Amino acid sequence: MYKLAQYQESTAFVCNRLGGFKPDVLLILGSGLGFLAEELENPIRIPYSEIPHMRVSTAPGHAGCFVAGVFEGKNVLAMQGRLHLYEGYSPEETAYPIRVANLIGVDKLLLTCACGGVNTGYQVGDLVLMSDYINFTHPGLLAGYAGNAFDLTGFEHRFFDMGQAFDMEYRKLSREVAAQIKIPLREGVYFYMTGPQYETPAEIRAIRILGGDLVGMSAVHETLMARRCGMRVAGFGLVTNMASGVLDQPLSEEEVLTEAKNAAPRFSALVRGVVRGM
Ligand code: HPA
């Protein structure tokens, strides 16, 4: 478990690199979606590998870099690529950059990720607003955090309400933006799987019964850390493939990256509109 002092060291390093720039929105760009970070004005790039205590991205389509700059009039810190459990990291390691961003002063998170479509009403290329998430995997991000006799994590209170993982006002804003720019926006529940293998058809049938509309290998620990830090969160999934067993074809990483590329114009328009209103 990281100590508060380590978070503070990372924060001091990033603040120093940012000069006087003070971001207030964190934008996490998932598989194949990192191109948006190239659209920030006056970008300051900070590779994860240079930040003390932070892990590096090893997944395809994940550059592994913070990019800070102005985007739609907002001071944004973008994560060009994220960290996953399947890379060998703990939940806390994957959520580390979110808490660092919060310590810098960021209090809003917009996260994006490539997903499999579990809901058979979805199609490849659909953009889906996350209404909630399900995470039944272990270990939990916050297990051991707070309430210990020697709590060095900087969090008080062990038990913590998650009645609103994804912010109601951001959800309303997202629907309004989508309507304005005439982009169909679905809404659904994100179901987390550790990966890196794609799911079996039986797993997908179970996920559907349990209430999942999307399946993916990220997002939940980031959302939980953000909520723990008091940040407001919006989440978008891009359906890069129908989940295992829905169509009679194997799943591949190439398909995920190709579909992310195809969705780029719609995805970019939606994210821009939402960031502008956050
Ligand atoms: N399953 C899990 N994660 C994913 C998928 C999927 O089908 N597609 C993109 N990320």
Side-chain angles (χ1 to χ4, degrees), residues 114-117 193 197-199 215-217 240-244 251 256:
C115 301
M193 293 290 276
Q197 76 286 356
Y198 295 112
E199 298 69 32
V215 63
M217 305 175 197
T240 52
N241 56 279
M242 290 312 290
S244 174
L251 308 188
V256 169

Side-chain angles (χ1 to χ4, degrees), residues 212-229:
D213 296 295
L214 293 167
V215 63
M217 305 175 197
S218 62
V220 303
H221 299 114
E222 296 159 354
T223 302
L224 179 54
M225 181 62 99
R227 296 296 298 128
R228 192 71 181 86
C229 295

Side-chain angles (χ1 to χ4, degrees), residues 210-266:
L210 291 171
D213 296 295
L214 293 167
V215 63
M217 305 175 197
S218 62
V220 303
H221 299 114
E222 296 159 354
T223 302
L224 179 54
M225 181 62 99
R227 296 296 298 128
R228 192 71 181 86
C229 295
M231 297 166 71
R232 296 169 68 192
V233 185
F236 293 109
L238 166 66
V239 179
T240 52
N241 56 279
M242 290 312 290
S244 174
V246 175
L247 305 175
D248 187 17
Q249 60 190 50
L251 308 188
S252 75
E253 183 181 305
E254 291 72 41
E255 182 187 16
V256 169
L257 296 178
T258 305
E259 290 304 331
K261 211 170 186 176
N262 292 344
R266 282 176 300 122

Side-chain angles (χ1 to χ4, degrees), residues 85-100:
L85 257 73
Y86 65 69
E87 296 172 80
Y89 300 140
S90 67
E92 192 187 9
E93 286 171 319
T94 69
Y96 192 80
I98 287 72
R99 193 164 180 205
V100 169

Side-chain angles (χ1 to χ4, degrees), residues 109-128:
L109 168 62
L110 194 167
L111 66 87
T112 67
C113 51
C115 301
V118 174
N119 185 322
T120 53
Y122 291 175
Q123 289 180 352
V124 170
D126 278 351
L127 292 170
V128 185

